[in-house]
Amino acid sequence: MFLKNEKIKITVSELSTYFSCPRKLYYSCRGHEQFHSSSPSYMEHLVLKEVAMQYSELLKGSSSKDDVLSADFDSMLLQVMDELGIIYPDEVSGFTQEKMSEVAENVRSFLPEIQENLSEQVENPEICKIADMISSSDNEPYLQSEKLNVTGVPYRLLSMDDSFVPVMIKTSKAPENGVWNNERLHVTSFAMLAEEAHGVPIKSGLVIYAKSGHFRKVNIHSNDRRQVLKAIGRARKIKDGKMPDKNESALCASCEFTEMCNVKASLASKLL
Ligand code: SF4
């Protein structure tokens, strides 16, 4: 039966893939795995995510830079590694103890920078207030927009100053200032769903960069919403079968689909 384009449901996670590269969405929604669940880089992503979930609690319990600098980050990582198999049994089952130790060592190399950056943030009252709220809530809210036919689950949705602040954790490297453009659109997507659910405009979001311990607040503008709306329409067409043009970028070098993408591109050029 022909599926009407507007009826195709989109998730915020798919939009995030689209923001990274439209072709990645094309491949991933046709059964090709974007991340190999048995790859060390995917396991590192999971460990960093779990480590980042501890940052707010740490800031909440610290009243000075010295408090953060004297915290035992090694023990925090050990605890995360201990609990990983309980939280992600499927993913961890494919890993030997030796491979897990390599992943832990890699993450351990980020800890000094994380600790230093978190210690700077303990002096920022706004970040401390947000960290306090994050550590007091433990739900990942399911958001659904009937209007857009989009669903998503942010890490947190904080109720602040008569509005809401969607929060997400990213394990990518943080830019020098602010957040990456695709991550601003990602958090905007959550804001748009939350606006429909709660009926209030949302003006900002927060990105926690796991690898460096940065908390970055981001303002959401009309132009971001416009871009998300366009992306939803385009993502629907891609899910419906339209192959987007190849968008060569620095990402291609480390992309899981690079071989597939090059083959398709050269086949297409032979046919022209
Ligand atoms: S190889 Fe480049 S264009 Fe192709 S899917 Fe990956 S990032 Fe996108």
Side-chain angles (χ1 to χ4, degrees), residues 73-246:
F73 274 58
D74 271 338
S75 298
M76 178 175 84
L77 177 59
L78 280 178
Q79 192 183 334
V80 165
M81 296 307 296
D82 269 356
E83 292 172 355
L84 213 64
I86 302 170
I87 302 170
Y88 304 102
D90 278 355
E91 291 83 347
V92 171
S93 67
F95 270 72
T96 60
Q97 194 58 42
E98 199 187 348
K99 268 163 103 188
M100 288 304 280
S101 300
E102 277 173 29
V103 171
E105 272 317 300
N106 225 8
V107 173
R108 184 169 284 114
S109 69
F110 303 128
L111 295 182
E113 188 192 345
I114 292 170
Q115 193 156 14
E116 183 62 38
N117 289 329
L118 284 173
S119 77
E120 302 286 335
Q121 283 162 109
V122 85
E123 298 187 327
N124 180 331
E126 192 184 18
I127 297 297
C128 287
K129 183 179 169 193
I130 288 175
D132 203 39
M133 294 181 76
I134 292 174
S135 63
S136 313
S137 63
D138 57 8
N139 64 326
E140 298 193 351
Y142 176 78
L143 300 171
Q144 176 166 26
S145 163
E146 297 287 340
K147 228 188 296 178
L148 303 172
N149 199 13
V150 177
T151 60
V153 184
Y155 170 51
R156 293 285 184 275
L157 183 65
L158 306 177
S159 170
M160 287 182 81
D161 305 326
D162 300 323
S163 182
F164 292 86
V165 176
V167 181
M168 57 184 207
I169 293 174
K170 295 305 277 192
T171 55
S172 53
K173 208 170 171 329
E176 204 145 314
N177 295 296
V179 307
W180 300 112
N181 187 45
N182 58 339
E183 289 162 0
R184 203 182 62 253
L185 297 178
H186 190 173
V187 86
T188 301
S189 313
F190 286 129
M192 288 164 72
L193 301 195
E195 279 170 346
E196 188 177 316
H198 295 280
V200 287
I202 293 179
K203 298 191 177 101
S204 61
L206 184 94
V207 181
I208 301 173
Y209 285 99
K211 214 179 255 182
S212 59
H214 283 109
F215 282 51
R216 296 267 170 86
K217 203 152 175 230
V218 54
N219 291 327
I220 294 166
H221 302 290
S222 303
N223 187 41
D224 302 321
R225 294 162 204 275
R226 195 176 297 119
Q227 287 191 63
V228 171
L229 277 181
K230 258 193 208 160
I232 293 169
R234 288 177 182 167
R236 256 191 199 117
K237 284 191 184 144
I238 290 170
K239 283 189 84 174
D240 206 16
K242 185 181 186 308
M243 158 85 97
D245 290 340
K246 185 171 179 178

Side-chain angles (χ1 to χ4, degrees), residues 20-24 27 245-249 251-252 255-258 261:
S20 159
C21 170
R23 271 213 179 178
K24 280 191 179 188
Y27 294 130
D245 290 340
K246 185 171 179 178
N247 194 4
E248 291 270 7
S249 75
L251 283 177
C252 297
C255 175
E256 280 79 358
F257 303 130
T258 193
C261 211

Side-chain angles (χ1 to χ4, degrees), residues 31-47:
H32 302 287
E33 270 186 54
Q34 197 185 346
F35 303 106
H36 296 297
S37 54
S38 58
S39 73
S41 59
Y42 184 65
M43 188 55 67
E44 185 179 304
H45 160 81
L46 296 180
V47 174

Side-chain angles (χ1 to χ4, degrees), residues 55-67:
Y55 299 164
S56 298
E57 194 65 39
L58 184 86
L59 290 179
K60 186 183 177 186
S62 306
S63 51
S64 69
K65 274 184 89 162
D66 285 347
D67 284 351

